[in-house]
Amino acid sequence: MQEFIQQVVSGIASGGIFASLALALVLIYNAMGLVNFAQGEMAMFATFIAYTLISHGVNYFIAFPLTLGLAFIGGVLIERAVIRPVERAPVLTLVIVTLGLATLINGAAGFLFGYTPNYFSSPFSAHTVNILGAFASYQDLSVIAVSGIVLVAIYLLLQRTTLGLTLRAAAHHPEASRLLGVRVSWMLALGWGLASAVGAVSGIMVAPILLLEPNMMQTIIIYAFAAAVLGGIDSPLGAVVGGLIVGVTVNLVGAYVVGGDLELAVALAIIIGVLVIKPNGLFGRAAARNV
Amino acid sequence: MQRLRNAPPLYFLGVIVLLFFIGLPTVVSSFQSSEWTQVLIFAIVIMGLNILVGYSGQISLGHGALMAVGAYTSAILIHRYHVDYLLTIPIAGLLTGLVGFVLGIPALRLSALYLALATFALAVVAPSLIKRPVQLTGGVQGILLTPPDPPQFAKDGFAAVTGGLGMTSDQWMYYVSLVLALSLFWLAWNIVRHRPGRAMRAIRDREVAAAASGINVAAYKTMAFGISAFYAGIGGALYGLSIGFVSPDTFPLALSFQLLVGAVIGGLASITGPLVGGIFTFWLPIVSSQFVASQPWIPAGIAAAFKNAGPQVSYGALLIVIMIFAPNGVVGLVTVGYARLQARLRGAGDRGSGQMPSDPQTV
Amino acid sequence: MTALLELEEVRCGYGPTSVLHGVSLSVPDGGIVSLLGANGAGKTTTLRAITGGVPWTGEIRFAGHSLRHKPTEDIVRGGIAHVPEGRGILTELTVDENLRLGEHTRKDRAAVRKDYDRVFEYFPVLRERRKLSASTLSGGEQQMLAVGRALLMKPRLMLLDEPSLGLAPIVVRSIFEIIRNINEADHVAVLLVEQNARLALEISTQAYVLEVGRIAVHGASADLKGDDSVRRSYLGY
């Protein structure tokens, strides 16, 4: 029983990581109907920046928000430079562009930071604390806490601020928003910046668990896809719920049923299962976009 | 004689290209032949991918995984059941085709983006699925294959043409691949030219209208998946045979991506596209870092950085630039350029109709 | 005295098809002008041209400044509120959020609060449905939301595209009354596109009749109302 609870808590922590990256995917999907296949690589690159800052003596708790800020700027720049020219292109072109971007970022990370895995130490110790008779590590708890804070912050930004309102308006109704003075094109860039920052959180959270190297996020992105698809690709709430479900399910199934090496296959099964049975996921709405 | 004179210049070009490919191994090294074998293999897979993406409008980021199915089918048949290697090729093709057809059924329900996502996930997960049944697949280490010895008639023929040179296994595999590529090219051309091709194009362009005019959309779309998987399976089997082994990491996501890119850059919904695509898929990653360095208008510092950063950065950057400026690929550019040239030669009078002149030879 | 809005020889179209073949009209500051004509005459296109929704040649000037090459959002921020065909309601958002988008660029927060009061005075149903999704509103209520939202933009000029479309006569009357109120109380000019010519002529001081992309008739609404031949040929009644 103790082990079961441990697996669940661990699963929730993984879920927080998946939810953050999934939320980034959802933000961009909402903004432009596109799945950003480069989201994981962007998160990885941001994590390397955090690692570099920390290695040069910057305190973790300063490096973290600083990296988010830099990731935000990076996301805006990428949207302006790479995505804007192909904004109205067909899906296939956009898929190739984002995958090309992923390749480029992955290669750049390898070039700038090397391929040797790095230990990314978290300020939260791996010591455990006793919860309901089971042991949960401070690390897991911190991941849950940080993910929770970020997700709540995004929710508040989107739902309670004017900026969030204009972001949502531009995403769902670009033409009508223009007639109300919303600078839709810039909202798109901001959406990318926001998604990049949120994705960076997932990278920084996962780095102490896996090792920091350029290919670090390539499996995480699959879990994030599963979370986003399960929750509904256009629903931020879905990304969070989906992330938690995927995290816990993958952990439990991997521990008790199929073995750790097939955890990724579980994610694939979730993706295919959801797309075949209920493509909109738990909270998603139909794919039609409004004006 | 009249027909020969009226034949479009493309036919002559095609004959020249054909002669080039037939004669190639006689003039280059065995290793270079094996490189061109890979180009042909990629061209075969891209031909199939083209039918799926270009003609029926469905995206696949998982054709590397389908190649793996074909490669492992062939390898397992040879290694465990001692089936003749040549026989394993069509078997691998048919089995993979069946897998593709089955995959095509749930794919019907998915929009382009979701299909890309699902096949992407498939490609990423495939290696771990292959590693699991160790008894069958050899797990992480894969399966080693002995390079097939060329049959006597081939050796004799090769020696006769080259003045006594022996034929290596690589060169033999090259010719096997060439024969298959040509046959599959002919098959694809016929599919595209006749009803299935027209139906698929109708589905790609306006699916609702196609269904309304009585086309069985589901049948054609799953058929397209099956056919493209068949091609991928054959390509995979050839790939394993020509490099001498199969392992889970021989078919990573990057390969699936490169195949799709090859199809797009070669030019979708064109018949010559796959060959160009095959060339691109093989050479672009290798050449891209040198390409950037060789452009005189790029400042030396940036060029050097690109070169050191490795092929990935150049490949990714080049791709993005190509997608921005030439989304219809090389063949698209050539076709547009050719049409514009014809229009100019014909004179302003035809501009209104916007059609290609019926007889390109008339100036 | 120059007019608030001036169009000179405006031509525009969609791709190869040309819709407007040289339209000239003007809207005086604080006036109400109606733009009439049959379906397909180009009325909606004219409004779209003004707010930058379609490319055009010729000249369009607002408060003396040319609108050429200006993006929609800047034109709108300059003081033109455009209620498009179909009302442009953001159905993914709530009624309140729609209204907030109307005033989100304004800096005069105290005046904004007063304007909210006025909007709710004109359209009490909006206050009741404030927190609900805008998609739950009926056609008439959506029109009220659109006009209320436009009012919150504090524009100098309002472009209204077929506000009566699909609405019950009694609702139409009340909306038109409110439009007339807004025009008089806030000195907001109105360019009104309408198929319901009779209503439009009642509320406006001047009218233009568009026929197949050209102005066929122009004059004071009172005159056009009284002119039988004009009414029968162009206005259908």
Side-chain angles (χ1 to χ4, degrees):
Chain A
M1 189 58 190
Q2 275 188 14
E3 201 206 304
F4 181 80
I5 294 182
Q6 258 162 302
Q7 291 287 0
V8 170
V9 172
S10 187
I12 294 178
S14 309
I17 294 171
F18 303 154
S20 304
L21 196 57
L23 183 59
L25 292 171
V26 167
L27 284 173
I28 290 191
Y29 182 83
N30 265 339
M32 50 190 304
L34 166 70
V35 169
N36 180 12
F37 284 92
Q39 202 71 57
E41 305 307 300
M42 288 167 68
M44 172 273 296
F45 199 89
T47 311
F48 264 111
I49 291 182
Y51 178 75
T52 311
L53 289 172
I54 294 176
S55 313
H56 281 81
V58 180
N59 179 285
Y60 178 97
F61 292 101
I62 296 182
F64 193 121
L66 189 56
T67 303
L68 294 195
L70 290 171
F72 178 88
I73 295 175
V76 171
L77 289 175
I78 289 179
E79 194 279 334
R80 294 277 94 176
V82 170
I83 303 297
R84 190 140 175 255
V86 290
E87 237 170 61
R88 291 171 210 275
V91 176
L92 184 54
T93 307
L94 287 166
V95 168
I96 293 184
V97 167
T98 53
L99 277 171
L101 191 59
T103 312
L104 193 156
I105 295 178
N106 189 293
F111 171 56
L112 292 170
F113 305 109
Y115 287 96
T116 340
N118 300 291
Y119 283 108
F120 191 107
S121 51
S122 149
F124 305 102
S125 70
H127 285 142
T128 54
V129 72
N130 201 314
I131 291 186
L132 303 176
F135 294 98
S137 71
Y138 277 115
Q139 195 156 292
D140 278 349
L141 293 174
S142 70
V143 168
I144 296 175
V146 171
S147 317
I149 291 174
V150 168
L151 298 171
V152 169
I154 295 290
Y155 172 81
L156 290 175
L157 176 71
L158 286 180
Q159 295 295 126
R160 299 256 190 270
T161 65
T162 307
L163 179 63
L165 177 61
T166 50
L167 274 169
R168 280 183 295 134
H172 293 294
H173 307 271
E175 291 307 320
S177 300
R178 273 195 196 106
L179 286 178
L180 296 169
V182 175
R183 299 200 206 277
V184 170
S185 197
W186 274 108
M187 289 301 115
L188 201 56
L190 281 180
W192 271 74
L194 208 55
S196 173
V198 172
V201 171
S202 109
I204 299 177
M205 291 286 99
V206 89
I209 303 176
L210 310 175
L211 290 166
L212 175 59
E213 46 96 15
N215 292 329
M216 176 179 79
M217 297 300 278
Q218 282 184 2
T219 51
I220 308 289
I221 190 89
I222 300 292
Y223 294 118
F225 278 159
V229 165
L230 177 61
I233 192 91
D234 57 354
S235 163
L237 175 64
V240 175
V241 173
L244 290 172
I245 295 179
V246 169
V248 173
T249 307
V250 163
N251 239 29
L252 291 178
V253 175
Y256 296 116
V257 183
V258 293
D261 59 319
L262 280 188
E263 280 181 355
L264 210 52
V266 174
L268 177 65
I270 293 177
I271 291 177
I272 303 228
V274 172
L275 288 181
V276 169
I277 300 173
K278 191 173 191 279
N280 280 335
L282 294 170
F283 302 102
R285 248 94 47 102
R289 314 220 35 239
N290 306 310
V291 178
Chain B
M1 211 50 211
Q2 182 74 359
R3 293 201 64 194
L4 204 57
R5 223 180 326 124
N6 285 349
L10 277 174
Y11 279 158
F12 292 114
L13 191 61
V15 170
I16 295 175
V17 170
L18 186 63
L19 289 173
F20 166 76
F21 274 101
I22 294 178
L24 186 71
T26 58
V27 293
V28 302
S29 76
S30 176
F31 175 71
Q32 284 171 313
S33 301
S34 76
E35 287 188 323
W36 280 96
T37 306
Q38 302 219 346
V39 171
L40 289 172
I41 290 174
F42 288 141
I44 290 175
V45 181
I46 291 176
M47 252 183 256
L49 191 53
N50 201 357
I51 289 181
L52 183 67
V53 182
Y55 285 100
S56 86
Q58 307 178 78
I59 300 181
S60 168
L61 279 168
H63 266 53
L66 289 172
M67 277 181 80
V69 172
Y72 268 89
T73 304
S74 159
I76 291 173
L77 285 173
I78 296 175
H79 186 72
R80 285 192 106 204
Y81 300 104
H82 309 292
V83 177
D84 174 67
Y85 72 96
L86 279 176
L87 199 53
T88 64
I89 297 175
I91 297 177
L94 289 169
L95 187 65
T96 313
L98 189 60
V99 170
F101 183 81
V102 168
L103 283 177
I105 298 175
L108 288 172
R109 306 191 53 182
L110 303 179
S111 70
L113 198 57
Y114 278 157
L115 190 54
L117 209 159
T119 50
F120 177 91
L122 185 65
V124 172
V125 178
S128 59
L129 285 172
I130 293 175
K131 284 180 204 169
R132 230 331 164 80
V134 182
Q135 291 288 17
L136 192 63
T137 64
V140 168
Q141 303 186 322
I143 302 175
L144 273 177
L145 300 167
T146 35
D149 205 30
Q152 195 55 43
F153 78 86
K155 281 194 204 167
D156 294 339
F158 195 70
V161 172
T162 58
L165 281 181
M167 188 193 229
T168 66
S169 165
D170 280 339
Q171 286 157 335
W172 165 239
M173 281 314 302
Y174 173 89
Y175 280 111
V176 172
S177 306
L178 182 60
V179 167
L180 277 170
L182 289 172
S183 332
L184 290 172
F185 173 89
W186 180 86
L187 177 65
W189 190 52
N190 272 297
I191 292 176
V192 163
R193 217 154 56 109
H194 292 120
R195 171 120 55 93
R198 282 199 297 274
M200 285 191 246
R201 252 170 303 181
I203 293 171
R204 174 197 68 193
D205 293 334
R206 292 295 303 282
E207 189 165 320
V208 176
S213 54
I215 295 178
N216 188 340
V217 173
Y220 279 110
K221 281 176 98 166
T222 45
M223 202 175 82
F225 238 106
I227 294 175
S228 76
F230 170 73
Y231 277 68
I234 294 193
L238 284 173
Y239 195 72
L241 286 168
S242 66
I243 60 175
F245 70 93
V246 293
S247 82
D249 297 315
T250 325
F251 304 97
L253 171 73
L255 177 62
S256 289
F257 179 45
Q258 282 161 6
L259 289 168
L260 184 64
V261 168
V264 172
I265 290 189
L268 290 173
S270 83
I271 283 301
T272 43
L275 180 58
V276 177
I279 296 175
F280 263 91
T281 301
F282 186 74
W283 290 112
L284 192 58
I286 297 176
V287 155
S288 39
S289 43
Q290 286 140 357
F291 171 80
V292 173
S294 71
Q295 295 299 297
W297 54 273
I298 296 181
I302 295 182
F306 258 87
K307 185 141 187 244
N308 293 331
Q312 269 189 303
V313 174
S314 323
Y315 182 69
L318 217 54
L319 265 186
I320 292 174
V321 169
I322 293 177
M323 281 298 111
I324 293 176
F325 292 108
N328 286 324
V330 171
V331 175
L333 276 179
V334 171
T335 314
V336 166
Y338 188 70
R340 282 212 192 114
L341 180 65
Q342 289 302 312
R344 203 167 300 166
L345 290 175
R346 255 306 182 102
D350 277 352
R351 206 185 300 144
S353 71
Q355 280 182 315
M356 278 282 285
S358 50
D359 183 356
Q361 296 300 91
T362 318
V363 176
Chain C
M1 190 185 72
T2 45
L4 181 63
L5 175 74
E6 282 175 315
L7 272 69
E8 271 173 33
E9 286 298 308
V10 171
R11 276 163 222 284
C12 76
Y14 303 97
T17 357
S18 193
V19 176
L20 299 182
H21 307 297
V23 169
S24 303
L25 60 86
S26 70
V27 178
D29 200 5
I32 304 185
V33 173
S34 48
L35 182 58
L36 311 170
N39 258 338
K43 312 192 295 292
T44 297
T45 309
T46 309
L47 294 189
R48 292 190 63 199
I50 295 172
T51 48
V54 287
W56 48 267
T57 56
E59 184 57 271
I60 299 181
R61 269 192 299 275
F62 178 68
H65 302 299
S66 169
L67 296 185
R68 186 190 301 283
H69 299 314
K70 273 186 132 183
T72 304
E73 45 265 45
D74 289 339
I75 295 177
V76 156
R77 281 169 182 243
I80 302 181
H82 180 174
V83 177
E85 214 176 6
R87 294 165 208 134
I89 301 295
L90 283 68
T91 51
E92 289 285 326
L93 308 180
T94 64
V95 169
D96 189 57
E97 286 171 334
N98 269 272
L99 291 171
R100 271 172 61 200
L101 280 171
E103 39 91 352
H104 83 277
T105 56
R106 286 173 62 180
K107 308 265 196 294
D108 48 341
R109 302 316 296 176
V112 168
R113 275 194 287 278
K114 287 215 198 90
D115 286 337
Y116 264 105
D117 292 335
R118 291 181 49 220
V119 168
F120 292 134
E121 221 185 282
Y122 284 135
F123 308 115
V125 69
L126 293 182
R127 174 180 269 141
E128 287 160 32
R129 305 278 184 107
R130 217 171 160 167
K131 294 296 176 194
L132 299 178
S133 162
S135 59
T136 63
L137 297 180
S138 72
E141 291 162 348
Q142 285 194 357
Q143 188 61 267
M144 294 181 203
L145 175 57
V147 173
R149 190 179 61 185
L151 177 59
L152 280 169
M153 291 174 76
K154 208 176 176 63
R156 287 182 66 185
L157 168 66
M158 240 196 253
L159 308 176
L160 297 171
D161 199 335
E162 309 239 18
S164 72
L165 197 59
L167 301 188
I170 199 169
V171 177
V172 172
R173 285 222 165 271
S174 90
I175 288 183
F176 269 61
E177 258 313 298
I178 292 171
I179 292 175
R180 196 208 298 267
N181 270 340
I182 296 173
N183 163 258
E184 281 167 18
D186 301 281
H187 199 69
V188 175
V190 177
L191 177 56
L192 175 68
V193 157
E194 256 302 340
Q195 262 202 51
N196 186 336
R198 199 164 33 89
L199 259 177
L201 288 177
E202 268 175 46
I203 192 178
S204 56
T205 42
Q206 289 180 54
Y208 292 82
V209 181
L210 253 188
E211 195 184 35
V212 199
R214 267 178 255 268
I215 302 286
V217 179
H218 164 219
S221 304
D223 296 339
L224 264 66
K225 239 193 304 182
D227 187 336
D228 283 346
S229 66
V230 166
R231 275 174 38 215
R232 266 194 301 264
S233 334
Y234 295 106
L235 308 178
Y237 72 102

